[in-house]
Amino acid sequence: MQDLVVLDWVEILEKIRSHATSDAGREAIISMKPLRSPQDAYASFEEIGHATEVINQGVRPYMQSLDLYSTWILRLKKNAVLKTLEIKDVRSFCLEALALKEALQQVENDWAQRISQSLMNAGEPVSAIDQILTPGGDIRSDASETLYRLFKEKDRLAREVQQAMDRLVKDHQMENVIQDKYVTTRDGRWVLPVKSGMQHRLPGVIHGSSQTKQTVFIEPEKAIPTNNRLRQIEVEIEDEIERLLTELSRYLSSKSTDIESTRLLMEECDVRFAQAQFTAQVNGHAIEFSTGSLELIEARHPLLQLSGKGVIANTVLLEQQKSILLLSGPNAGGKTVLLKSIGLAAQMARCGLPICASETSKIPFFKEILIGIGDAQSVDEELSTFAAHLKILGKAASVKGREHLILIDEICGSTDPEEGSALARSFIEAFSANDVFGVITSHLGPLKSGWDEKSHVLNGSMEYDPKTGRPTYQFLAGIPGDSLAIQTAKRVGVAQAIVQRALEVLAPATRARLEGLEQIERLKSDIAILQDHLRKETAKAVETKKKYEGLLEQFNKDKDEWLQRTLKKAERKVEEAISQAKVAETFKRHTALQEIKYKLPEIVKAKPITQPGAPENAEQFAKKFPPGSKVYVANLNQDGIVQSTPNNKGEVLILSGSIRLQLHWQDLRPPGKPQNPTSQLVRQSSSFSVSLADEDRTLDLRGKTVEEALSELEVALDKAAQAREDRMKIIHGHGTEALKKAVRTYLSRSIYVKKWKAGSPESGGDGITWVEIGEI
């Protein structure tokens, strides 16, 4: 994995991970591994494309309920009686399953239909839960006839006893006896506050006294029978609630197999939707796998694409005869970026992710990618930078076959140039003999020439502007590049005498090469002009192709409509002729006329050319993303809010942060971080009351000192208790574990906390603590 870190693969996974809505989905993304075969990768491409089609409808289903799945599923499988908070979590899970099903049913593709049909019928458990619990998680007073009767009787008796005691409070004879003119309760029984020493004036049962001992709480004799019945009713209510929760838990337990399979499907969808969102942001495309060639068309580095800056796309072609690219050019000219772009394309493709290049690209399905980028020294193994580099090169020289890709940055560049060049040439010749694909960067001059036609080595360079001396980041195949050390020294203002002396001490061959540099640069400039012209012509051809495809689609549509009208007219004439035929000739004429019907042209509708699910015109965009919707603005690399419908030019007013800008609707994509659409989707597919409880309060304490963290924790717990929230999620991470221990010690002593527990592997691991808020 360390090799993939230097290839920026972990950063790519983190970007995809940020789009997941559940800890289980995030964990699956971070642990993503290469697939077993090209067929698996093709299947992944297809599923991500189908997930993109769902997102292009304007909704991205959430799976946040999976974070709490482990807190109740084990108890459910053991047939335990669930608490109301756990049943509330089951309800949230079922509602998200319903929302997912509704979102998938809006599109017609194999993946969406497979998932939709395999999801459990979550409406039944939600209905069963809603008969007993309110959406907020409280027991409904009408959950059963018995419970409804008991609650009504309790309310009636409570009113009666309160009214009787209110009369006692207002009785003039009791003015000197009663401490305060109010009625209260002690241990669930209605009592009156009586002055200490006056309790003999009010017959009844004493239920305690105040802290100052100035007040005694007495239950009057007249209220004792009613209070006894109230206590009995409360016990009966608790028994009835326990019975209802037991029945509901047994019913939900019978659904545990369906729930488990639905959980797996929701995790799969969370991963696919996250991959689809990332693919849309980097403008990724599914590609074909080849065996004998690597054709990366208009390749880009995904992280640069995400930055929102103008990214230079490059095309790299390696084939059977030229399978190793030896890349040279100036410092900071883009060699390493191009090498990483190629490596990431190979890694993403073999993991089933659409790559950041044209859909016409073709690359092999690499079984192994060997990477030598950056400083690989190891103190533990007593390896210097160069020794560690040689170890990687030695391993790379041992692999054979086109299913291997070798990526080496600055081959043998950390030692004596003459010896390094000799070693580098030897290694490259070994790679060539082993028939592997490779991309190798180098500043070593001797490597830039001396390769015969039979060699698999293809020279390439990164272009720079000779007038400014700055790189253009354009790749040129077939021509080696110069490191431009002396030219760079001139450009940055090094003294002329030093530059001149450097030219004098150069080897004769090197000096001759530099003197001929001007002619080479003119050749490069001509090639660059031709490449630019070719790109423009290609872009024009693509635009023309789209134009004529649109015209062809419209023509086919008009043709279909005309044929349908003609067919209907012909059928009507045939039917009329059949009905008007004479009886004697009916059978003969009927047979002949039916033959005419069968010979009429069969209409076959062409498949739509546009990407399924994506808006095809401004009207569809306005329908899927009305004002107030979130969209992703690639230019700013962040989400924005739609402020208007498309105007005559197709432009939409967007507000992103404090920036207002006018963009064409085709430049906008589904949002990177959309809002949770569960309530909206469930309301579309059912009549359930879906007023979901607010999301659990989340407190992120990572990066804070213990003192700062505990201060924020105290405030958060106070707010949660005041808002009568059930639960809170605290993210503290691991680190030195000092913060984690301090937080959990504080929670153990807090009056607000009923209990706390560490997160499970599925819900964030030990770097998270879940807190259940108690009643004060």
Side-chain angles (χ1 to χ4, degrees), residues 13 32 46 62 87 90 94 97 126 169 176 205 220 317 319 329 333 352 357 367 377 526 573 628 668 679 712 755:
L13 292 181
M32 193 185 303
E46 186 177 23
Y62 270 45
I87 295 174
V90 177
C94 292
V126 173
V169 169
N176 296 326
V205 178
L317 304 176
E319 52 188 4
K367 292 183 179 178
Q377 66 177 330
D526 292 341
K573 288 182 179 179
L668 302 171
S679 298
E712 288 193 23
K755 66 178 182 179

Side-chain angles (χ1 to χ4, degrees), residues 142 213 246 261 267 309 315 346 393 429 432 483 488 524 544 619 635 647 697 708 760:
D142 58 349
K213 307 300 181 183
T246 301
S261 62
E267 282 184 16
K309 301 174 183 177
T315 296
L393 292 176
E429 287 175 351
S432 178
S483 300
T488 303
K524 283 186 177 181
T544 305
E619 289 75 17
N635 294 343
N647 59 20
R697 186 183 294 270
E708 291 171 342
S760 64

Side-chain angles (χ1 to χ4, degrees), residues 356-642:
C356 212
S358 168
E359 64 269 23
T360 57
S361 300
K362 297 179 182 179
I363 62 175
F365 184 85
F366 291 109
K367 292 183 179 178
E368 188 174 11
I369 301 176
L370 293 118
I371 304 165
I373 301 175
D375 188 353
Q377 66 177 330
S378 173
V379 177
D380 295 337
E381 297 182 26
E382 299 181 354
L383 292 176
S384 67
T385 299
F386 185 64
H389 183 70
L390 288 178
K391 190 174 181 181
I392 294 170
L393 292 176
K395 183 180 178 182
S398 67
V399 299
K400 297 181 180 181
R402 291 301 173 94
E403 67 275 9
H404 296 91
L405 174 64
I406 297 172
L407 303 172
I408 306 294
D409 193 28
E410 299 299 342
I411 186 170
C412 298
S414 301
T415 188
D416 177 77
E418 186 176 354
E419 291 186 23
S421 298
L423 263 175
R425 183 177 289 272
S426 179
F427 273 118
I428 294 171
E429 287 175 351
F431 300 156
S432 178
N434 289 340
D435 200 26
V436 297
F437 280 101
V439 180
I440 301 167
T441 71
S442 177
H443 284 290
L444 297 172
L447 293 182
K448 299 174 184 179
S449 58
W451 303 102
D452 56 37
E453 289 296 323
K454 295 181 180 179
S455 169
H456 286 193
V457 177
L458 171 69
N459 264 307
S461 63
M462 302 306 292
E463 184 194 14
Y464 76 101
D465 187 340
K467 294 179 181 178
T468 63
R470 296 186 181 279
T472 64
Y473 307 109
Q474 287 286 357
F475 169 68
L476 294 174
I479 299 176
D482 281 279
S483 300
L484 304 178
I486 293 179
Q487 284 84 344
T488 303
K490 286 181 182 178
R491 179 165 56 84
V492 299
V494 175
Q496 179 63 30
I498 295 176
V499 173
Q500 186 60 39
R501 178 57 183 160
L503 288 169
E504 290 173 0
V505 298
L506 281 174
T510 305
R511 193 182 307 121
R513 181 169 57 81
L514 288 177
E515 288 171 356
L517 188 61
E518 186 177 349
Q519 183 179 356
I520 294 173
E521 291 308 322
R522 281 199 300 270
L523 179 59
K524 283 186 177 181
S525 179
D526 292 341
I527 293 174
I529 292 170
L530 289 172
Q531 283 187 332
D532 185 55
H533 178 70
L534 178 60
R535 278 193 293 271
K536 289 178 180 177
E537 290 297 319
T538 303
K540 283 183 183 178
V542 170
E543 284 295 320
T544 305
K545 181 185 176 186
K546 288 182 179 177
K547 175 184 175 183
Y548 283 110
E549 282 178 345
L551 291 173
L552 178 61
E553 185 180 2
Q554 186 61 41
F555 170 76
N556 286 333
K557 185 178 178 182
D558 294 341
K559 180 189 71 174
D560 291 343
E561 290 177 356
W562 183 81
L563 285 173
Q564 287 284 9
R565 287 196 299 270
T566 305
L567 180 60
K568 287 178 180 178
K569 286 180 182 178
E571 285 181 341
R572 278 198 301 270
K573 288 182 179 179
V574 170
E575 296 297 341
E576 288 172 6
I578 291 173
S579 64
Q580 292 171 4
K582 293 181 180 179
V583 177
E585 300 176 0
T586 297
F587 182 77
K588 181 180 178 182
R589 287 174 180 260
H590 181 270
T591 304
L593 291 170
Q594 287 298 331
E595 233 176 86
I596 295 173
K597 285 176 69 175
Y598 293 141
K599 289 180 180 178
L600 286 170
E602 181 182 358
I603 296 175
V604 180
K605 294 186 177 180
K607 295 181 179 178
I609 297 170
T610 57
Q611 182 184 1
E616 297 178 9
N617 50 50
E619 289 75 17
Q620 286 190 15
F621 177 87
K623 185 177 179 181
K624 290 182 180 179
F625 300 99
S629 304
K630 288 178 72 176
V631 290
Y632 177 72
V633 184
N635 294 343
L636 301 178
N637 189 29
Q638 63 186 29
D639 288 341
I641 305 296
V642 176

Side-chain angles (χ1 to χ4, degrees), residues 33-51:
K33 297 290 190 296
L35 301 174
R36 292 176 297 179
S37 67
Q39 289 70 32
D40 290 343
Y42 282 133
S44 177
F45 291 156
E46 186 177 23
E47 289 185 0
I48 293 172
H50 289 164

Side-chain angles (χ1 to χ4, degrees), residues 111-284:
W111 177 76
Q113 294 303 312
R114 173 180 68 82
I115 299 289
S116 178
Q117 291 168 8
S118 302
L119 287 170
M120 66 182 289
N121 181 9
E124 292 180 1
V126 173
S127 295
I129 292 170
D130 284 353
Q131 287 177 9
I132 296 175
L133 297 184
T134 65
D138 298 320
I139 298 291
R140 298 175 65 96
S141 60
D142 58 349
S144 70
E145 289 185 16
T146 301
L147 199 60
Y148 180 71
R149 176 179 54 78
L150 289 171
F151 270 118
K152 282 194 71 175
E153 186 178 356
K154 179 183 177 182
D155 291 341
R156 179 179 60 78
L157 291 175
R159 283 196 303 272
E160 287 179 5
V161 71
Q162 189 171 8
Q163 289 169 1
M165 297 180 77
D166 282 341
R167 286 194 294 271
L168 277 174
V169 169
K170 295 174 183 177
D171 191 339
H172 293 296
Q173 296 180 1
M174 302 296 293
E175 284 183 356
N176 296 326
V177 177
I178 302 298
Q179 182 74 274
D180 292 300
K181 292 186 177 181
Y182 66 83
V183 178
T184 185
T185 58
R186 282 293 183 274
D187 298 325
R189 304 181 76 87
W190 290 96
V191 296
L192 290 174
V194 176
K195 293 178 182 178
S196 183
M198 303 294 288
Q199 53 265 42
H200 63 280
R201 296 280 303 274
L202 182 65
V205 178
I206 297 176
H207 286 278
S209 60
S210 64
Q211 289 184 346
T212 61
K213 307 300 181 183
Q214 298 297 313
T215 304
V216 178
F217 298 102
I218 296 179
E219 177 185 5
E221 270 184 358
K222 294 181 180 179
I224 290 176
T226 309
N227 272 334
N228 287 341
R229 176 56 186 156
L230 278 171
R231 292 295 292 163
Q232 184 182 355
I233 289 174
E234 287 174 358
V235 172
E236 291 176 10
I237 286 174
E238 290 175 4
D239 290 343
E240 179 64 9
I241 289 174
E242 184 69 16
R243 184 187 70 81
L244 292 171
L245 292 179
T246 301
E247 286 185 0
L248 179 59
S249 298
R250 285 176 181 169
Y251 165 74
L252 293 175
S253 180
S254 69
K255 299 284 184 182
S256 58
T257 303
D258 292 340
I259 288 173
E260 180 65 18
S261 62
T262 295
R263 190 264 303 179
L264 294 173
L265 293 170
M266 289 172 69
E267 282 184 16
E268 177 186 342
C269 288
D270 199 27
V271 172
R272 287 300 186 217
F273 287 140
Q275 292 170 336
Q277 286 176 281
F278 174 79
T279 299
Q281 285 191 344
V282 300
N283 196 21

